[in-house]
Amino acid sequence: MGEIDHIGIVVKSIEDALKLYTGLLGVEPSGEETVEARGIKVCFLKLGGTKIELLQPIREDSEISGYLAKKGEGMHHIAYKVDSAEDSIAKAKELGIKPLSDVPKPGAHNTTVAFLHPKTVNGVLTELVEH
Ligand code: CO
């Protein structure tokens, strides 16, 4: 555990972003999925032992719309593998690290995820992924 699961990049259009990954680097998407509860469409690309996750909003109140409006496209988060997202939230709180939510959320591909507030983890939005 503690391995990097993926790096999340916010994009306006997954289709346009694939020009780099598929067109230039020759990487085929390993799964595109809409996560309705979070208002996003995601596309994973396997690169060696880790993945790039492209995130595109599908509605104006999605969880990444604010980020896209304020900062534009770019690096959004780093995700680490954990045994249990719920236990990790509890442990984070003990350590003074602030989770964005007290309960884990559904992630793509049947995962359960938790996010940690960037201000409490060196300025990087951090996702914990339970497979
Ligand atoms: Co992610």
Side-chain angles (χ1 to χ4, degrees):
M1 292 297 116
E3 205 178 307
I4 292 178
D5 186 79
H6 63 268
I7 295 166
I9 299 176
V10 167
V11 299
K12 288 181 192 157
S13 159
I14 286 174
E15 197 188 336
D16 285 352
L18 288 178
K19 282 179 201 161
L20 168 65
Y21 300 99
T22 303
L24 190 64
L25 301 176
V27 182
E28 288 305 319
S30 61
E32 199 169 287
E33 188 179 326
T34 297
V35 187
E36 285 290 346
R38 296 163 61 194
I40 59 173
K41 187 160 94 172
V42 302
C43 178
F44 282 93
L45 296 133
K46 271 193 191 134
L47 289 111
T50 192
K51 287 166 275 181
I52 295 290
E53 175 188 33
L54 300 174
L55 304 109
Q56 176 194 322
I58 53 164
R59 53 173 195 258
E60 281 183 12
D61 66 344
S62 80
E63 67 176 25
I64 54 170
S65 296
Y67 179 93
L68 192 56
K70 201 167 141 193
K71 301 194 174 176
E73 295 183 304
M75 281 266 302
H76 183 254
H77 64 270
I78 293 186
Y80 301 100
K81 287 183 181 134
V82 295
D83 286 325
S84 159
E86 196 175 354
D87 291 354
S88 296
I89 287 174
K91 180 75 177 170
K93 284 183 179 170
E94 278 173 33
L95 295 168
I97 296 170
K98 196 174 162 245
L100 288 190
S101 163
D102 284 341
V103 286
K105 295 197 256 187
H109 306 315
N110 298 315
T111 56
T112 302
V113 303
F115 284 91
L116 304 176
H117 198 291
K119 282 199 175 136
T120 60
V121 276
N122 315 104
V124 179
L125 177 59
T126 301
E127 178 182 3
L128 305 170
V129 185
E130 174 189 338
H131 282 269

